Amino acid sequence: MLHISPSSFELKPAFAKIVCEPGWKWHKREKPLQNYDLFYVWSGEGTVVLNDQAIPVSKGSCFLFRKGDYTTATHNPQRPLVLTYIHFDVHEPVSEVPSSYRVLNETLDFEYMLARYVRLFLIKAYAAEEEARLILKQLLIYLLREEREVPTERKVSNQLHEVIHEVANYVVQHPGLPHKVQDLAARAGLSPRYFSIKFKEIIGMSVQAYIIKSRIDRAQHLLLHAGMNVTEVADALGYRDIFFFSRQFKQYTGKSPSEIR
């Protein structure tokens, strides 16, 4: 489905995001499915039986049922399933199809696209079908990409890099905040010690040095381009002692703030 045109998707009226009732069951039908069904579990616990194979499901469970599949499902009424399902057909030869079942670990982007798909029709948005076809192709590409992902070790490493860089970017965006290692580590979901080690390894300097550098970089910009005086810049960046600010500024730039201005 990677190389087919979005216009070849036939969107069926059977789609929704639902919270299953306590007594909900998906009974086996006499005839198998007549089209594709993208079936995703947002939360809850249950069991899906696909062609006589029972599969426990919970958040992140994702199926792409195919024509000819027989399906049934039940759930735990104490933890009811919340589902999105999208029925569709394809009017082009298909060379690549995502696997019938997988568990998504990174769900944020996928869930956003699912929610967008359903919302387009709920609000009767302009050109809803055209956008929905594009989203459907994105969803299928996402599943194909997941199947071809790098090994887990490298994926975890990539995720850690992203988290550390997100925190570093947060510091740059908010140089005047009183950043503490404990708070930044919590933002990354890591212990302060591990966060500090990985931050220096990935960014190339300690957390504290990076915080200071971000402040001084911003100070130079404000002095040069914002028309602010030294006292105003020091105050904006959280320095209570203008003399300490001046010493730190000179330590990092080789010049005093007044020389820069």
Side-chain angles (χ1 to χ4, degrees):
M1 294 184 179
L2 180 61
H3 302 294
I4 62 175
S5 168
S7 62
S8 68
F9 289 114
E10 179 187 342
L11 308 181
K12 299 293 183 178
F15 70 91
K17 181 179 178 181
I18 59 168
V19 179
C20 296
E21 301 79 7
W24 173 86
K25 290 181 181 180
W26 187 2
H27 292 286
K28 186 174 183 178
R29 300 177 180 179
E30 291 185 7
K31 293 183 178 180
L33 287 174
Q34 301 300 302
N35 47 55
Y36 290 99
D37 178 13
L38 181 60
F39 181 99
Y40 177 77
V41 177
W42 293 74
S43 61
E45 293 178 349
T47 301
V48 169
V49 179
L50 172 59
N51 300 327
D52 297 324
Q53 179 184 0
I55 303 170
V57 297
S58 57
K59 178 176 175 58
S61 295
C62 185
F63 294 84
L64 181 63
F65 302 127
R66 296 160 167 72
K67 298 177 183 180
D69 282 345
Y70 284 94
T71 55
T72 64
T74 56
H75 72 151
N76 177 357
Q78 303 302 316
R79 296 198 62 194
L81 290 177
V82 178
L83 309 169
T84 289
Y85 58 87
I86 299 172
H87 285 262
F88 65 96
D89 266 331
V90 183
H91 298 303
E92 262 186 48
V94 177
S95 59
E96 286 186 284
V97 181
S99 59
S100 296
Y101 170 69
R102 69 178 301 107
V103 178
L104 302 180
N105 294 314
E106 299 298 320
T107 62
L108 186 63
D109 290 342
F110 195 79
E111 290 179 353
Y112 172 81
M113 289 187 283
L114 286 174
R116 177 69 180 170
Y117 184 101
V118 173
R119 185 171 181 273
L120 284 171
F121 294 101
L122 288 178
I123 65 173
K124 299 180 180 178
Y126 170 74
E129 288 202 8
E130 286 78 0
E131 184 175 348
R133 289 189 180 94
L134 294 171
I135 292 173
L136 182 56
K137 180 162 184 178
Q138 284 182 289
L139 288 163
L140 297 172
I141 289 173
Y142 188 99
L143 294 176
L144 288 168
R145 184 181 295 136
E146 277 275 312
E147 293 171 12
R148 291 155 178 75
E149 271 288 343
V150 294
T152 304
E153 294 80 8
R154 186 177 168 190
K155 186 174 181 181
V156 170
S157 176
N158 287 344
Q159 289 172 350
L160 180 60
H161 274 70
E162 288 180 12
V163 167
I164 295 295
H165 280 287
E166 189 279 327
V167 173
N169 189 50
Y170 175 76
V171 171
V172 171
Q173 289 176 338
H174 305 278
L177 292 180
H179 298 296
K180 296 180 180 178
V181 172
Q182 295 92 324
D183 296 336
L184 296 175
R187 186 178 182 88
L190 303 170
S191 72
R193 183 176 180 277
Y194 186 71
F195 170 75
S196 297
I197 292 170
K198 288 300 176 182
F199 190 96
K200 186 170 184 179
E201 179 182 309
I202 293 168
I203 301 300
M205 64 180 72
S206 70
V207 180
Q208 195 60 40
Y210 191 81
I211 292 170
I212 296 170
K213 179 182 182 300
S214 299
R215 286 178 182 158
I216 300 305
D217 287 346
R218 181 60 177 167
Q220 290 188 81
H221 176 84
L222 294 176
L223 289 166
L224 286 168
H225 306 294
M228 297 170 66
N229 62 39
V230 176
T231 301
E232 289 171 334
V233 170
D235 185 62
L237 293 173
Y239 289 92
R240 296 182 180 178
D241 185 339
I242 191 172
F243 299 106
F244 176 72
F245 166 67
S246 297
R247 287 198 304 273
Q248 199 168 75
F249 190 97
K250 189 168 186 177
Q251 179 184 350
Y252 272 75
T253 67
K255 296 180 179 180
S256 68
S258 56
E259 289 179 273
I260 294 289
R261 192 167 184 273

